[in-house]
Amino acid sequence: MAESNHSFSLHMEEKIYLGGKEHRIQTGCGSVSVIVYGDHDKPALITYPDLALNYMSCFQGLFFCPEAASLLLHNFCIYHISPPGHELGAASICSDNYVPSAEDLADQIVEVLNYFGLGAVMCMGVTAGAYILTLFAMKYRERVVGLILVSPLCKAPSWTEWFYNKVMSNLLHFYGMCGLLKECLLQRYFSKDVRGNVEVPESEIVQACRTLLDERKKTNVLRFLHAINQRPDITEGLPRLKCRTLIFVGDSSPFHSEALHMTSKLDRRFSALVEVQACGSMVTEEQPHAMLIPMEYFFMGYGLYRPSHFSDSPRSPLSPSCISPELLSPESMGLKLKPIKTRVSLEV
């Protein structure tokens, strides 16, 4: 907990979200909501969702997967950070308020970590959230021990993405969270297999996401969209990123090529790519089981294991021990387990 003379204020909410508690923290660029799950004495894992999403619509599938939940909650205390105004039940942010940039949002994470007294953390982000966390890791290297990035971004928007984002901005401005805008967002998140068509109904995860999008306030989404559409290219800094990085991307994701580009720029000694077949951008929701084995071997490099493998205290430190090549071999990372395809770069 924060010291009494801390410069931030914390409003403890009475709401309990499936065992987690919401904290609202005032930062230099506005209030941010953080849902905390688990034992505060365990190593911290922070999450950051994609555009117009929060932890319920972006990470619930992963944490509802029993094997993945046991792996993550056994080893970590989870801090779900929502982009400003994206938390459940958020009111519209005043249009006169300063609109934070992507860099401001990365700096906001530091304020959150400092409030909770956290040192170096594990990070997990999806698309826009993955970009924010990568930028955070580049600016504050000593605060990040590892990155798990799902369909990440690292370049400035292409003309195609910039135009697509401008269309979404206009839809938001004039019509709010209308049907057409939701279709644009669902195409961003999911593969066409689960979005359905005339003959096949859309899947339950898409229906649930559509429902959760209904409560987003247009002003709040516009602010995050503006930050992401104005993001700078951070490719140059990627080779200097020394924390271990595990990247997942669906082969049907609009950002598939971006993830491959990012992987090619990372230090080969510390990075691995897992391509998930027949999946869109949001692997955490569409195919969370595909993340289990790669994450399990990734965490082994930190001395962290699934509960059945634990004979000692669950409060294992995130040590800087190296991941052995065997643990990052294609076989260990799940090449033989459909629908996973891996590309792993190892030091020669």
Side-chain angles (χ1 to χ4, degrees), residues 5 37 63 88-89 107 119 122-123 129 143 161 169 180-181 201 205 211 225 269 275 279 288 308 312 321 328 335 346:
N5 62 350
Y37 287 87
F63 282 87
L88 291 170
D107 292 338
M122 185 71 69
C123 300
R143 305 301 291 270
E161 187 197 342
S169 293
L180 182 56
L181 176 65
I205 57 169
T211 301
L225 179 57
R269 297 170 296 171
E275 294 177 84
C279 187
S308 58
D312 207 348
S321 59
L328 283 179
L335 181 63
L346 297 175

Side-chain angles (χ1 to χ4, degrees), residues 255-274:
F255 308 106
H256 181 262
S257 62
E258 182 108 356
L260 300 188
H261 171 78
M262 183 172 184
T263 305
S264 72
K265 300 300 179 182
L266 289 167
D267 191 319
R268 297 187 308 164
R269 297 170 296 171
F270 305 113
S271 60
L273 170 68
V274 179

Side-chain angles (χ1 to χ4, degrees), residues 54-324:
N54 53 40
Y55 85 101
M56 282 290 287
S57 45
C58 196
F59 297 103
Q60 183 173 256
L62 180 64
F63 282 87
F64 275 18
C65 172
E67 297 87 351
S70 66
L71 173 67
L72 295 169
L73 292 171
H74 184 79
N75 289 297
F76 297 100
C77 182
I78 314 297
Y79 296 78
H80 291 299
I81 302 174
S82 291
H86 281 54
E87 66 272 15
L88 291 170
S92 293
I93 299 173
C94 178
S95 58
D96 294 334
N97 288 12
Y98 171 73
V99 179
S101 65
E103 190 164 348
D104 291 329
L105 295 175
D107 292 338
Q108 189 178 58
I109 294 171
V110 179
E111 297 186 65
V112 170
L113 299 194
N114 290 343
Y115 185 88
F116 287 107
L118 302 175
V121 299
M122 185 71 69
C123 300
M124 180 187 295
V126 177
T127 312
Y131 177 89
I132 300 297
L133 291 178
T134 304
L135 183 58
F136 166 66
M138 292 170 66
K139 290 191 67 178
Y140 304 94
R141 296 180 192 177
E142 74 284 355
R143 305 301 291 270
V144 178
V145 294
L147 288 169
I148 301 171
L149 307 175
V150 181
S151 304
L153 308 172
C154 65
K155 295 188 288 187
S158 64
W159 280 110
T160 303
E161 187 197 342
W162 183 89
F163 178 76
Y164 199 77
N165 288 345
K166 279 297 181 182
V167 169
M168 289 200 294
S169 293
N170 287 332
L171 286 171
L172 273 168
H173 180 76
F174 291 108
Y175 304 106
M177 192 59 73
C178 61
L180 182 56
L181 176 65
K182 284 190 282 188
E183 290 306 320
C184 291
L185 289 169
L186 293 173
Q187 286 181 31
R188 174 188 176 98
Y189 307 146
F190 298 108
S191 70
K192 61 182 180 181
D193 294 335
V194 294
R195 293 201 312 272
N197 52 47
V198 177
E199 299 177 353
V200 181
E202 64 184 16
S203 71
E204 290 182 2
I205 57 169
V206 176
Q207 292 174 17
C209 186
R210 186 188 295 277
T211 301
L212 288 166
L213 286 173
D214 281 333
E215 73 150 24
R216 292 285 83 76
K217 300 294 189 290
K218 70 174 187 178
T219 306
N220 304 354
V221 178
L222 266 171
R223 292 162 65 87
F224 193 20
L225 179 57
H226 176 80
I228 292 304
N229 212 29
Q230 299 294 321
R231 70 182 186 270
D233 190 319
I234 57 175
T235 303
E236 257 186 39
L238 292 176
R240 299 190 296 275
L241 199 61
K242 297 306 180 186
C243 66
R244 289 178 209 83
T245 304
L246 178 59
I247 295 178
F248 294 91
V249 65
D251 65 2
S252 298
S253 168
F255 308 106
H256 181 262
S257 62
E258 182 108 356
L260 300 188
H261 171 78
M262 183 172 184
T263 305
S264 72
K265 300 300 179 182
L266 289 167
D267 191 319
R268 297 187 308 164
R269 297 170 296 171
F270 305 113
S271 60
L273 170 68
V274 179
E275 294 177 84
V276 183
Q277 297 172 8
C279 187
S281 298
M282 203 153 41
V283 184
T284 50
E285 290 293 314
E286 193 168 340
Q287 295 200 33
H289 287 88
M291 299 179 66
L292 177 62
I293 290 176
M295 285 197 307
E296 188 169 357
Y297 283 107
F298 183 69
F299 292 147
M300 280 184 185
Y302 299 92
L304 301 173
Y305 301 87
R306 290 177 71 180
S308 58
H309 297 153
F310 250 102
S311 58
D312 207 348
S313 168
R315 300 177 184 179
S316 298
L318 293 175
S319 63
S321 59
C322 292
I323 300 178
S324 67

